[in-house]
Structures are given as structure tokens and as C-alpha cells.
């Protein structure tokens, strides 16, 4: 009996499957579950979350400007919302002032707005012509965000001007404006220094110095009606 079973199994070993016979079946490979987050995008999120996320990003860039150091934070995720808010705020605070005389109305909103943005564009073009490695809008973002110290200085000067005019009043405003001017210049050069060729950094920094100097002069010479 045992010998018969052994002969049967030995016979099965000689059986071959023809290539014409279709082999049917299903092979399943375990895959990770597809989550809903894979299909999630900013187009699907609520408007409230988008606004909150953008406000947090702007706030983080303000912190980077107030504590300047060599970083690519402003270059990596650039935006123009912060510079727009700072420019509008500065123009509103400078509006309606008298610089030389009572007949001269001082810089108005449109003039300040054009000076800030036109100056930033000229500096950006100069940076690109000198061989800068950052994009046009990245440079605008850095220059715009670095107006923050001067905007704060303008706010302080407006508060100081509420007191009586005098040499002490001017001295306080002079110190504040000089400090904010240095802060803005150092902050912008800290972010833009590595984007220029080593032998052309001075040519790139000089227009930045003039840009913030003009804004500082407008703030220092501002006197309300």
C-alpha cells in the first residue's frame, strides 16, 4: 500500500503545466491607507485658516527683522503683505506734515508710497545687475519688511511731537531716528549680504543706505500742522 502511494506521488512530479493554460488569480500588495490630508490644499481650507496662517507668517518675519541675523527666513517664504502694510502705515503717519514752512504741505500719501516702492525697485534692479542671486520679489520683500524699525520710529516721533516743541524734543527724535535707521540698514544687509558677490557688496549696500536715509530724513523733518 505504501509502495503504491509512493509511485503515485512520483508520477505527479512528472506533470508539467503547459504555457497555453492561463493562470488566473489576484495578487494584492498591502498599501498604506490614503488619508484625506493627501488631497488637502489651500484651495479647500476655510478663509479664516488662510488669513490666520498668513498673519502668523507676517508676524514671524517681523520678529526676524526686529532681531536681525544672517538668515534666509525672509527669502524662503517671501510675501508682499507685510511691506504693503508698513508702507501704508508710514505714509499715513507722514501725511499732512509741514517740513519747511506752513505753506508747504509736506509729503503726502501718494508721494511717500511712490518713494518707498520706487526706491525698493531701483535697489532690487541694482542688486540683480551686480550679480545678485535672489529673485526680484525676494529683494522687495526684504527691503519692505526692514522698513519696520523706521515705522516704529515714526510712531515714537509722533508721540514725542504731542509735547511742546523744543531742542530736547528734537534731540529725542534725532536719537530715535538714527537708531531706527541703523537698525533697518543692518537688518537688510544681514539678509541680503550673502546674495551678492564678495567684491561687489559695497556697491549693493550703498543704495540701501541711501534708501533708508531718505526715509529717515522724511521722518526726522516731519512736523504736524
Amino acid at each position: 500500500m505504501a509502495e503504491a502511494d509512493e509511485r503515485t506521488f512520483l508520477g505527479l512530479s512528472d506533470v508539467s503545466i503547459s504555457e497555453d493554460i492561463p493562470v488566473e488569480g489576484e495578487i494584492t500588495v498591502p498599501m498604506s491607507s490614503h488619508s484625506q490630508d493627501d488631497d488637502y490644499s489651500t484651495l479647500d481650507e476655510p478663509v479664516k485658516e488662510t488669513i490666520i496662517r498668513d498673519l502668523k507668517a507676517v508676524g514671524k518675519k517681523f520678529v526676524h527683522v526686529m532681531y536681525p541675523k544672517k538668515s534666509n527666513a525672509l527669502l524662503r517664504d517671501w510675501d508682499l503683505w507685510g511691506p504693503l502694510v508698513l508702507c501704508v502705515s508710514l505714509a499715513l503717519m507722514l501725511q499732512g506734515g509741514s517740513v519747511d514752512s506752513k505753506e508747504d504741505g509736506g509729503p503726502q500719501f501718494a508721494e511717500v508710497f511712490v518713494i518707498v516702492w520706487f526706491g525698493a525697485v531701483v535697489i532690487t534692479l541694482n542688486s540683480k545687475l551686480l550679480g545678485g542671486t535672489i529673485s526680484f520679489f525676494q529683494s522687495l520683500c526684504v527691503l519692505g519688511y526692514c522698513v519696520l524699525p523706521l515705522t516704529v520710529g515714526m510712531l515714537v516721533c509722533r508721540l514725542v511731537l504731542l509735547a511742546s516743541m523744543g531742542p530736547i524734543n528734537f534731540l529725542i527724535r534725532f536719537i530715535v531716528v538714527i537708531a531706527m535707521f541703523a537698525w533697518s540698514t543692518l537688518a537688510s544687509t544681514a539678509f541680503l549680504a550673502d546674495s551678492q558677490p564678495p567684491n561687489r557688496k559695497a556697491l549693493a549696500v550703498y543704495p540701501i543706505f541711501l534708501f533708508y536715509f531718505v526715509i529717515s530724513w522724511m521722518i526726522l523733518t516731519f512736523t504736524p500742522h
Side-chain angles (χ1 to χ4, degrees):
M1 186 66 179
E3 293 179 357
D5 294 338
E6 183 177 355
R7 286 195 299 270
T8 302
F9 286 111
L10 290 175
L12 291 175
S13 63
D14 297 332
V15 178
S16 61
I17 299 176
S18 175
E19 295 180 357
D20 298 333
I21 301 176
V23 180
E24 298 180 356
E26 182 179 357
I27 300 176
T28 59
V29 179
M31 301 289 291
S32 59
S33 59
H34 184 74
S35 62
Q36 296 180 353
D37 295 337
D38 296 337
D39 296 333
Y40 186 79
S41 65
T42 55
L43 297 177
D44 301 323
E45 69 178 359
V47 177
K48 179 181 178 181
E49 293 184 8
T50 304
I51 295 176
I52 293 176
R53 188 186 67 251
D54 292 342
L55 289 177
K56 289 181 179 179
V58 171
K60 289 180 181 179
K61 293 181 177 66
F62 283 161
V63 173
H64 282 292
V65 173
M66 297 308 294
Y67 298 95
K69 59 181 179 179
K70 288 188 177 182
S71 173
N72 61 350
L74 292 183
L75 303 178
R76 185 176 58 253
D77 301 320
W78 63 267
D79 68 82
L80 299 179
W81 289 112
L84 179 62
V85 172
L86 292 174
C87 182
V88 171
S89 301
L90 185 62
L92 287 175
M93 286 187 288
L94 284 171
Q95 188 176 13
S98 177
V99 178
D100 297 326
S101 65
K102 294 182 179 180
E103 297 179 357
D104 188 4
Q108 299 300 315
F109 180 88
E111 297 175 4
V112 176
F113 199 86
V114 170
I115 288 173
V116 172
W117 283 103
F118 180 75
V121 170
V122 170
I123 294 174
T124 301
L125 293 177
N126 176 72
S127 175
K128 296 298 292 182
L129 292 175
L130 291 175
T133 57
I134 63 175
S135 69
F136 181 83
F137 291 105
Q138 285 177 330
S139 180
L140 283 181
C141 174
V142 172
L143 293 172
Y145 270 103
C146 290
V147 178
L148 176 62
L150 289 173
T151 306
V152 175
M154 181 63 206
L155 179 61
V156 174
C157 290
R158 288 299 296 257
L159 296 176
V160 173
L161 287 171
L162 295 177
S164 58
M165 299 294 294
I168 298 179
N169 186 299
F170 177 80
L171 180 61
I172 294 174
R173 291 189 292 119
F174 180 79
I175 294 175
V176 170
V177 171
I178 290 298
M180 296 300 102
F181 161 71
W183 203 327
S184 293
T185 305
L186 291 176
S188 60
T189 53
F191 290 111
L192 299 175
D194 296 334
S195 64
Q196 299 296 329
N199 58 339
R200 297 182 178 179
K201 286 185 177 181
L203 295 175
V205 172
Y206 180 67
I208 297 176
F209 176 88
L210 290 180
F211 173 66
Y212 292 118
F213 177 79
V214 171
I215 299 176
S216 300
W217 180 258
M218 293 166 60
I219 296 174
L220 183 63
T221 57
F222 171 84
T223 54
H225 285 304

